[in-house]
DNA sequence: TTAAAATCAGGGAATACCCTTAGACCAACT
DNA sequence: AGTTGGTCTAAGGGTATTCCCTGATTTTAA
């Protein structure tokens, strides 16, 4: 029996990459390449793949929502999330949204095939590194990767505004919140980034790719 | 003449993707696939590719540093940065570090080939979207990019101190001058760089390699 | 020597920085 | 269903710093 695979990713390189990895494999056929969330929703209905490899970071939709939606409409469909990020909270939410597997983009052919077999078997598949990370967290060991700073949605907006050289007053008007709230956010950002002032915020933001 | 291409990316999928895109192309041969900064540094020396496609976001090194290093050791090597991000400040820093081109990961075969031809010709190649973004930014902004700003010796010292997140008071102590003098210098720097505050100073400084 | 650079100051308005506290809201876990 | 944790909101009440103007003297370099 041939397994029908579809792939959703907005990067052509990734689409091509997976396709080329799996091309000459027995029992597997790639029947669809999609590049957006909306396209995926439509195409999955008619292509009816057995497994969908789904990039989390799509331009038009959140991968979490899309995953829920797809699962609701297609009960038998297996979804394996593919992502650059091995952020634990992300993985957890993705799996809670119905994803059957989670692999990083540095995966190889063998790992992919194992993932396919596993999810078709009704089990959940996690890439080795990912599994390790989840485990490390649940044991209570603090994540080694503390360098990665997590800013909240609002903090990112304030950060962006600071980057635009706006004053507290201007930011408050832009975001429709009190200047006092803006200051609170700025203080929290400084604290998280270890910055002594706004200049430090901008330095850290650039260094950590937060913009 | 055959152009020798090497690719550095920590995602196997991207490596595979580019490889499969370029595989059947005349005059092009892929001679190296690397997955880390250190591996690239070593391998480039012996593989001697004409063009290196370099992912910016590597696990072990900053793409910017790696780019500088590679350029220093291999004068004739052309480097095209590939990245997910189209942040202007990043692109600028990458190009300032010696990259000959910048393409996003959603590029296609034709665009890649055009990029190759362009950089081999000694010119700089920017993906259409990227170019647009850079252009959009420099319009309406005081032209800091082309008219290279001339800061005096003292202004540069003050700039450096601001970058170190020091206050006016601290800067004055560091440079053995009055706080009032520091303020004067800061005002002049802001004026020269078209900045609205210290954040703007740091942005302009980074964009223009003034540090 | 003339222009640019570096130095300094007064004084005021605006803004940033700091600490603390606290209610409202929402999602997750027991 | 209740509790916890995180986020967002906001305020009081400060102090410190930046920003902005003007005007000035001295030093340095073309």
């Amino acid at each position: 029996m041939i397994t029908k695979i579809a792939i959703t990713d907005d990067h052509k390189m990734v689409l091509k990459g997976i396709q080329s990895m799996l091309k000459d494999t027995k029992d597997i056929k790639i029947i669809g390449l999609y590049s957006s969330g909306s396209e995926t929703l439509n195409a999955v209905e008619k292509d009816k793949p057995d497994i969908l490899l789904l990039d989390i970071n799509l331009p038009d939709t959140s991968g979490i929502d899309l995953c829920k939606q797809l699962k609701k409409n297609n009960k038998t469909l297996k979804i394996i999330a593919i992502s650059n990020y091995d952020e634990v909270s992300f993985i957890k939410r993705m799996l809670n949204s119905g994803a059957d597997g989670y692999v990083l983009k540095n995966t190889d052919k063998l790992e992919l095939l194992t993932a396919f077999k596993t999810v078709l078997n009704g089990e959940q598949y996690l890439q080795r590194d990912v599994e390790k990370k989840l485990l490390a967290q649940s044991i209570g060991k603090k994540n080694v990767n503390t360098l990665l700073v997590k800013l909240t949605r609002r903090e990112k907006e304030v950060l962006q505004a600071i980057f635009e050289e706006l004053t507290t007053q201007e930011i408050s008007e832009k975001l429709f919140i009190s200047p006092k709230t803006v200051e609170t956010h700025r203080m929290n950002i400084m604290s998280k980034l270890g910055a002594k002032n706004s200049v430090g915020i901008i330095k850290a933001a650039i260094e950590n790719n937060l913009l």
Side-chain angles (χ1 to χ4, degrees), chain A residues 115-167:
Chain A
F116 292 164
K117 210 191 295 178
T118 309
V119 299
L120 284 178
N121 222 22
E123 295 167 47
Q124 196 174 63
Y125 182 83
L126 297 183
Q127 187 163 345
R128 272 183 292 283
D129 311 346
V130 173
E131 201 166 21
K132 237 187 268 172
K133 207 148 197 179
L134 277 178
L135 214 68
Q137 255 237 342
S138 66
I139 284 173
K141 277 193 178 179
K142 276 208 173 163
N143 201 342
V144 187
N145 224 340
T146 31
L147 295 173
L148 283 175
V149 187
K150 248 196 333 189
L151 293 187
T152 67
R153 179 191 113 257
R154 216 47 165 168
E155 284 165 354
K156 276 184 202 159
E157 288 170 1
V158 171
L159 170 60
Q160 181 64 43
I162 293 173
F163 186 76
E164 288 165 11
E165 301 174 41
L166 302 182
T167 66

Side-chain angles (χ1 to χ4, degrees), chain A residues 61-171:
Chain A
T61 333
S62 128
I64 282 128
D65 295 339
L66 182 59
C67 192
K68 277 185 191 161
Q69 192 96 28
L70 284 166
K71 272 292 189 176
K72 208 171 67 184
N73 298 351
N74 309 275
K75 289 292 183 186
T76 64
L77 175 69
K78 300 294 181 185
I79 297 180
I80 297 177
I82 49 177
S83 165
N84 280 313
Y85 308 107
D86 55 350
E87 253 301 316
V88 171
S89 67
F90 222 48
I91 301 170
K92 278 189 178 170
R93 276 194 295 161
M94 207 62 199
L95 295 176
N96 284 336
S97 301
D100 302 282
Y102 198 105
V103 300
L104 301 179
K105 286 195 178 174
N106 63 357
T107 190
D108 56 22
K109 180 173 175 176
L110 186 63
E111 181 131 43
L112 267 183
L113 294 180
T114 312
F116 292 164
K117 210 191 295 178
T118 309
V119 299
L120 284 178
N121 222 22
E123 295 167 47
Q124 196 174 63
Y125 182 83
L126 297 183
Q127 187 163 345
R128 272 183 292 283
D129 311 346
V130 173
E131 201 166 21
K132 237 187 268 172
K133 207 148 197 179
L134 277 178
L135 214 68
Q137 255 237 342
S138 66
I139 284 173
K141 277 193 178 179
K142 276 208 173 163
N143 201 342
V144 187
N145 224 340
T146 31
L147 295 173
L148 283 175
V149 187
K150 248 196 333 189
L151 293 187
T152 67
R153 179 191 113 257
R154 216 47 165 168
E155 284 165 354
K156 276 184 202 159
E157 288 170 1
V158 171
L159 170 60
Q160 181 64 43
I162 293 173
F163 186 76
E164 288 165 11
E165 301 174 41
L166 302 182
T167 66
T168 299
Q169 185 60 40
E170 290 167 335
I171 298 172

Side-chain angles (χ1 to χ4, degrees), chain A residues 171-190:
Chain A
I171 298 172
S172 80
E173 283 159 13
K174 179 177 180 175
L175 299 181
F176 303 106
I177 54 180
S178 152
K180 275 293 185 185
T181 307
V182 175
E183 288 192 352
T184 303
H185 284 311
R186 193 191 21 240
M187 297 306 299
N188 290 335
I189 296 171
M190 277 198 282

Side-chain angles (χ1 to χ4, degrees), chain A residues 10-21:
Chain A
D10 61 318
H11 299 310
K12 283 208 183 91
M13 287 186 187
V14 176
L15 287 179
K16 279 274 182 185
I18 302 176
Q19 196 179 25
S20 111
M21 259 199 260

